[in-house]
Amino acid sequence: MVNFKPVLFMASVVLRALALFMIAPLVLAIYTDGHGVSEFFKSIIITTIASGLFWHKGRSKVFKLGIREMFLLTTGVWIIASAFAALPLMLIQHISYTDAYFETMSGITTTGSTVLSNLDSTAHSVLLWRSILQWLGGIGFVVMGVAVLPYLNVGGMRLFQTESSDWSDKNTSKTQHTAAYVMYVYLSLTILCYFGYLAAGMSSFEAVNHAMTTLSTGGYSTSDQSMAHFSNAAQWNGTFFMFLGGLPFLLLINALHRRDISMLFKDAQIIGFAKLVLTMTVMMSLYLWHKDVFSFSDAIRISMFNIVSVVTTTGFGLTDYGTWGEFTTVLFAALMFTGACSGSTSGGIKIFRFQIALTLFRKQMSQLVHPSGVFRQHYNGRNVNDVIVRSVVAFGSAFIATIVILAAILSIIGLDPITSITGAITAVANVGPGLGPVIGPSGNFASLPDTAKWALSLGMLMGRLEIMTVLVLVTPAFWKG
C-alpha cells in the first residue's frame, strides 16, 4: 500500500516555503503602489493554514520513502504548490481560477506560456510573483534531476546516478550537501545575471525579474515585447545565462569545486549542446542575412538568442520567428523538442537521449554488417546497458505519444491545426510560446477555452516531470500492495 504521510508532510513544507516567498511581493506592494497588499496577505494566510493541516495529517516519527512514495511525492507536490500559488494571481488580476492555475503551472514548470497581457502596466507585485515561481521551479527541477529522477530511473536518468541520487539513510547527508551546493551556484549565477542586466540598461526591478526567469530558463518578462523591449547588450546577457541554465549543474559544481573548468569541455552533453547551438546559429544567420531579413550582425544576435531560448526551453520572445519563412518555422518546430542538458533547468527531450539514440543506431548498423559481432554502447566513458536503453526508448515513445494525444484533444476542442500541434509541443517540451497568430511569440494563451488550458497544464506537468513519473501513477500495478 502507498503511504501518504510523507507526501502530506512534504506538501506542508513546500506550502510553508511558498507562503514565505509570498512575503517578497507583499512587501513590494506595500512600498510601491499598494496594489496586491490585501490579496497577498489573504493568500499567505490560506496557504499557511493549509500547510498546518497537511503537517497535522502527515507528521510521523519515522518516514520511510519507498519507490511508490517517491513517485507520488514528485507529482503531488507540484500539483499542490501550483494550486495555492495561483491564489494571488486570481485575486489581484480578477481572472478565473483556470487562468490563474494555468499561469502558475506554466511558471513553476518554467514553461513560460502566459494568459496575461499588458504586462508593462501590470502591478509589480504580480510580475515579481511570476518570476519567483519560475526561479523556484528552476531550482526544484535541478535538484530533481540530480537526486530524484536518477533514483527512479526515469527515461534513462540512471546514467547520471551518483551518491547524491541514493536515498538510503547513509547517503542522506550527501544528498543534502548536493542540494546546498546546487542552491549556492544557482543563486550566484542569478546574482551575476542581475548585474549583467543592470549594466545593459535595465532598471533594478527589471533586472531582478529577468535574472530569475533567465537562469530558470522560464521566460516570463515584465513587458509584452519580452526581450525585444531591451537593449542588444541585455539580449546578449540573456543568451549567455540561458546557455548556462541549460548546462548540467552537478558537473558545473564539480568543475567549480575542483577549479577545473576544462571538465565542462570534455562532457559529451555539453559538447553536443554547444555544437547544436553554434550549427543552428550559423545556418539561420546566413539564411536571414541572405534573405535580407536582418543585417549580418543583427542576424547573428537574433538567431543565437532565439535558438538558445528555444533549445533551453526558455521561451523569451525577441521577434516573431514564425514570420521569417517556412525554413525557420520548420527548424524552430524541430528545436522545440530538443531541450538542453540533463540536470539543468531546461525541459524537452534532452541532448543525452539523442546521443544515446545515435549510439544505438550505430550499433544497429554495425550489427547488420557483422551479425555475429559483439558491440558495446558507451556514453561519456560509461557503459550503456540495456536497462538504460529501454528507459530511453520508452521515454521517447511516451513523449511523442503524449504530444500526439494532447494535440488531438486540442483539435477536438476546436483549435486550429497549428495551434493544436505547436501548443502540445510547447507544453510538453516546456518551451513557452508556440507558432501561429494565436499562441506564437506575439500572442498568448488567453483566448483558448478552459478545457484546453487544463489539458495544456497537464501537458506542462508531464513534460516537466519527464512523462513517466506521472504516467506510472495511472497504472494498476502502482496501487497494488
Side-chain angles (χ1 to χ4, degrees), residues 139 142-143 145-147 162-166 171-186 249-251 253-254:
I139 185 63
V142 170
V143 173
V146 169
T162 63
E163 288 181 331
S164 62
S165 309
D166 187 349
N171 281 311
T172 299
S173 60
K174 293 178 181 177
T175 303
Q176 292 172 342
H177 280 121
T178 300
Y181 284 134
V182 168
M183 176 60 78
Y184 173 75
V185 172
Y186 189 73
F249 269 69
L250 193 58
L251 184 62
I253 290 168
N254 289 336

Side-chain angles (χ1 to χ4, degrees), residues 132-198:
I132 288 174
L133 289 177
Q134 289 203 326
W135 193 80
L136 291 175
I139 185 63
F141 188 73
V142 170
V143 173
M144 277 183 54
V146 169
V148 179
L149 296 180
Y151 169 78
L152 299 178
N153 190 29
V154 173
M157 291 290 285
R158 185 168 290 174
L159 190 64
F160 304 98
Q161 192 159 17
T162 63
E163 288 181 331
S164 62
S165 309
D166 187 349
W167 283 75
S168 59
D169 292 338
K170 67 178 181 179
N171 281 311
T172 299
S173 60
K174 293 178 181 177
T175 303
Q176 292 172 342
H177 280 121
T178 300
Y181 284 134
V182 168
M183 176 60 78
Y184 173 75
V185 172
Y186 189 73
L187 180 60
S188 299
L189 290 176
T190 305
I191 293 172
L192 290 174
C193 185
Y194 163 77
F195 283 113
Y197 278 134
L198 274 183

Side-chain angles (χ1 to χ4, degrees), residues 27-218:
V27 172
L28 179 66
I30 292 173
Y31 285 96
T32 53
D33 54 9
H35 194 62
V37 173
S38 62
E39 290 86 352
F40 269 107
F41 185 75
K42 291 175 185 176
S43 300
I44 291 172
I45 295 299
I46 294 171
T47 305
T48 303
I49 291 172
S51 173
L53 292 173
F54 282 127
W55 178 83
H56 178 71
K57 293 291 185 181
R59 61 179 177 173
S60 178
K61 291 183 179 179
V62 179
F63 284 121
K64 185 171 178 61
L65 285 174
I67 194 75
R68 286 184 175 89
E69 286 75 22
M70 287 294 290
F71 275 114
L72 191 61
L73 178 65
T74 303
T75 303
V77 164
W78 289 75
I79 293 174
I80 294 171
S82 298
F84 286 88
L87 294 176
L89 296 177
M90 181 181 69
L91 296 174
I92 297 172
Q93 294 297 112
H94 304 293
I95 57 179
S96 67
Y97 186 75
T98 296
D99 281 355
Y101 191 88
F102 176 91
E103 190 79 12
T104 304
M105 180 60 77
S106 176
I108 288 181
T109 57
T110 71
T111 302
S113 303
T114 184
V115 297
L116 301 183
S117 56
N118 300 318
L119 296 177
D120 300 86
S121 58
T122 299
H124 281 194
S125 59
V126 171
L127 297 176
L128 180 61
W129 181 234
R130 294 164 80 239
S131 300
I132 288 174
L133 289 177
Q134 289 203 326
W135 193 80
L136 291 175
I139 185 63
F141 188 73
V142 170
V143 173
M144 277 183 54
V146 169
V148 179
L149 296 180
Y151 169 78
L152 299 178
N153 190 29
V154 173
M157 291 290 285
R158 185 168 290 174
L159 190 64
F160 304 98
Q161 192 159 17
T162 63
E163 288 181 331
S164 62
S165 309
D166 187 349
W167 283 75
S168 59
D169 292 338
K170 67 178 181 179
N171 281 311
T172 299
S173 60
K174 293 178 181 177
T175 303
Q176 292 172 342
H177 280 121
T178 300
Y181 284 134
V182 168
M183 176 60 78
Y184 173 75
V185 172
Y186 189 73
L187 180 60
S188 299
L189 290 176
T190 305
I191 293 172
L192 290 174
C193 185
Y194 163 77
F195 283 113
Y197 278 134
L198 274 183
M202 284 189 181
S203 68
S204 183
F205 177 75
E206 291 167 341
V208 166
N209 280 272
H210 286 87
M212 286 192 286
T213 60
T214 298
L215 239 294
S216 64
T217 60

